Amino acid sequence: MTDPKPDLLLLVHRIPYPPNKGDKIRSFNLMKALSQHYTVHLGCFIDDPFDRQYIDTLSQWCATVFCVNQAKWRAKLCALSGFITNQAITLPYYFSFAMAAWVNATINTHKIKKVLVYSSSMAQYVDKTEYQPLSRVIDFVDIDSDKWRQYAEKSRGVKRWFYQREARLLLQYEKHICQRFNSSLFVSDDEASAFRAMLPVQLQHKVHSVLNGVDTDYFSPETPACKTEQTLPEQYIVFTGAMDYWANVDAVCWFCQNIWPRLKQLYPQLHFVIVGGKPSAEVRALSQQAGVVVTGRVDDVRPYISHARFAVAPMLIARGIQNKVLEAMAMNKAVVCSGMAMEGINAPASEDAVIAEGIEGFIRACKRQLDRPSAPSANRQWILQHFTWQQTLVRLNSFIHPELSV
């Protein structure tokens, strides 16, 4: 008879299923990997009513699941209390008395000794003196505070002040959690190094990288063709991502303002297809431009990637590893990216993996892709060598429970 798997508390700021956007792809694969070694007790928020249908699905990997429905208007109202308590507003935005009560009860009932927290916003639930004896690991994923700093740089007036405040207070909290927890994980070596450089020397040894991966069986050029929700143009380039996320909105708006008009003039039959759920008003408005298609939520992103000439990721605000780039490369598509979008992936420069900067640089790179004949890409091989989940998560368990083999 085998020994029962030890209990582990997993706290995630957004339900880790379905794995259809950046943070959920990573949290899902972490949960799946942890379930091989632990009896997982999951606490998470649901910020999209669409995802409620998947709660029961989580029982495949978790012994218990506790979900709190998060109404965004209420969360934003609660977040304002951060101005009274001098906290980063991220913390009250993700605070729930029901979640706190469940965490306390779960730790006591199951005698939890191991905790993995996904994102800094969830660390508050186990940042208590009585939980100091627990083995607590935080997956920051990326430096959230630096995203706010980037937002501030692109803003003016009150918004700039607000974003600067959030960047400063959230960085203080990130450093505090790093000091209190056993290990701090980041999505790439670059991200881990950047955070390490912000810390006093005595804390730097706590910071490690656990890279993002991609499901190379699912994202494969050999995957049978799936139907799309709408008829696709014959010639198009593609951008994929959650289209209510500011960094993605900023990227496609910049591309449509500065790059697309020139490309459309040179290649009249070409289209730009923006694929992703919950497009903001700014993104929806882009469909008024000639040749721009905004799909909204799709059931399967693969056919949109598969039939594209190439994928673009003109990210001007970014941290960590871009799943959109991993997925396109796994499907052996050429990619044209900003340096930020390729950060952490570090594919060798080639005709298939192009880093372009600035308006003229992006136009030249896109034009080269459109002018050259189709040819086999080496992008998938780079992913298979470096970014399968089996490879990237191999060290995860050593941070949580060094005594267990991975």
Side-chain angles (χ1 to χ4, degrees):
M1 184 176 179
T2 58
D3 292 333
K5 292 186 286 188
D7 293 278
L8 177 140
L9 176 64
L10 175 62
L11 299 176
V12 185
H13 72 300
R14 184 178 289 116
I15 183 173
Y17 199 88
N20 57 2
K21 59 189 296 186
D23 64 282
K24 294 170 72 175
I25 292 169
R26 181 173 173 90
S27 59
F28 167 73
N29 281 282
L30 291 177
M31 175 184 69
K32 186 177 174 183
L34 290 168
S35 69
Q36 298 175 23
H37 302 286
Y38 301 94
T39 299
V40 177
H41 304 276
L42 171 68
C44 62
F45 286 91
I46 296 179
D47 62 357
D48 185 346
F50 178 84
D51 289 343
R52 291 174 191 160
Q53 63 186 298
Y54 299 110
I55 294 174
D56 291 343
T57 305
L58 294 168
S59 62
Q60 295 179 52
W61 305 282
C62 304
T64 58
V65 177
F66 183 74
C67 300
V68 173
N69 292 322
Q70 185 185 54
K72 289 193 175 181
W73 66 268
R74 186 182 297 115
K76 289 178 180 178
L77 197 61
C78 292
L80 296 177
S81 68
F83 289 103
I84 300 172
T85 58
N86 199 33
Q87 287 180 299
I89 64 162
T90 299
L91 299 182
Y93 186 94
Y94 282 101
F95 182 77
S96 157
F97 287 105
M99 180 66 74
W102 178 82
V103 167
N104 292 337
T106 300
I107 289 174
N108 292 327
T109 300
H110 298 282
K111 296 181 170 49
I112 298 287
K113 297 290 189 296
K114 310 288 181 184
V115 180
L116 177 65
V117 172
Y118 185 89
S119 89
S120 58
S121 56
M122 300 301 285
Q124 59 188 312
Y125 293 105
V126 287
D127 183 26
K128 297 180 178 180
T129 303
E130 60 263 38
Y131 295 151
Q132 199 66 30
L134 304 183
S135 175
R136 296 173 297 178
V137 175
I138 179 151
D139 184 9
F140 282 112
V141 187
D142 44 39
I143 308 171
D144 274 340
S145 58
D146 196 70
K147 289 180 186 174
W148 292 99
R149 181 192 61 78
Q150 292 180 51
Y151 295 162
E153 287 181 349
K154 286 180 165 285
S155 303
R156 295 289 179 269
V158 175
K159 275 190 176 181
R160 184 182 182 89
W161 170 84
F162 171 77
Y163 295 147
Q164 286 176 331
R165 176 189 184 275
E166 187 67 6
R168 174 176 53 83
L169 292 178
L170 192 54
L171 178 58
Q172 289 177 9
Y173 186 70
E174 289 165 342
K175 291 178 178 179
H176 165 79
I177 291 301
C178 179
Q179 180 179 20
R180 300 266 290 176
F181 281 38
N182 299 71
S183 296
S184 297
L185 309 182
F186 287 88
V187 73
S188 71
D189 295 337
D190 293 337
E191 202 75 0
S193 295
F195 188 69
R196 211 176 279 123
M198 300 176 183
L199 299 173
V201 174
Q202 63 269 26
L203 294 181
Q204 293 179 4
H205 71 282
K206 291 187 171 189
V207 180
H208 311 276
S209 59
V210 172
L211 303 184
N212 257 12
V214 62
D215 185 338
T216 52
D217 292 329
Y218 186 80
F219 288 99
S220 168
E222 282 77 43
T223 300
C226 305
K227 290 184 178 180
T228 57
E229 283 84 343
Q230 55 190 271
T231 303
L232 289 172
E234 189 170 331
Q235 293 282 327
Y236 68 93
I237 57 181
V238 70
F239 178 97
T240 61
M243 294 318 304
D244 60 343
Y245 178 46
W246 189 5
N248 288 338
V249 173
D250 178 73
V252 296
C253 288
W254 179 83
F255 189 84
C256 284
Q257 179 180 351
N258 299 291
I259 312 302
W260 180 245
R262 297 266 295 275
L263 292 181
K264 186 63 174 173
Q265 186 177 28
L266 292 168
Y267 307 92
Q269 303 305 313
L270 188 65
H271 287 71
F272 179 40
V273 179
I274 301 169
V275 183
K278 298 194 287 187
S280 69
E282 290 173 279
V283 175
R284 293 195 302 272
L286 297 177
S287 63
Q288 297 172 17
Q289 287 186 237
V292 177
V293 178
V294 179
T295 68
R297 191 196 302 271
V298 300
D299 291 332
D300 190 344
V301 74
R302 292 173 297 173
Y304 296 87
I305 300 172
S306 178
H307 299 300
R309 288 294 304 274
F310 59 94
V312 294
M315 313 305 293
L316 304 179
I317 301 171
R319 296 297 330 175
I321 290 179
Q322 296 293 315
N323 289 288
K324 59 177 64 66
V325 178
L326 292 178
E327 291 165 0
M329 292 180 70
M331 294 191 71
N332 233 7
K333 282 292 165 183
V335 293
V336 176
C337 306
S338 64
M340 280 188 170
M342 189 58 79
E343 185 177 294
I345 300 172
N346 300 324
S350 70
E351 287 188 322
D352 303 311
V354 181
I355 294 178
E357 302 292 3
I359 294 172
E360 295 304 322
F362 246 91
I363 291 172
R364 284 194 301 269
C366 290
K367 189 175 182 301
R368 280 199 301 271
Q369 291 295 330
L370 292 163
D371 289 344
R372 76 185 181 109
S374 298
S377 166
N379 280 347
R380 180 169 173 82
Q381 193 57 37
W382 181 259
I383 298 299
L384 291 173
Q385 289 173 353
H386 300 281
F387 287 99
T388 67
W389 283 111
Q390 291 84 353
Q391 292 165 321
T392 60
L393 295 183
V394 71
R395 294 197 304 153
L396 174 63
N397 206 39
S398 66
F399 298 121
I400 299 169
H401 199 326
E403 296 82 8
L404 287 179
S405 60
V406 177

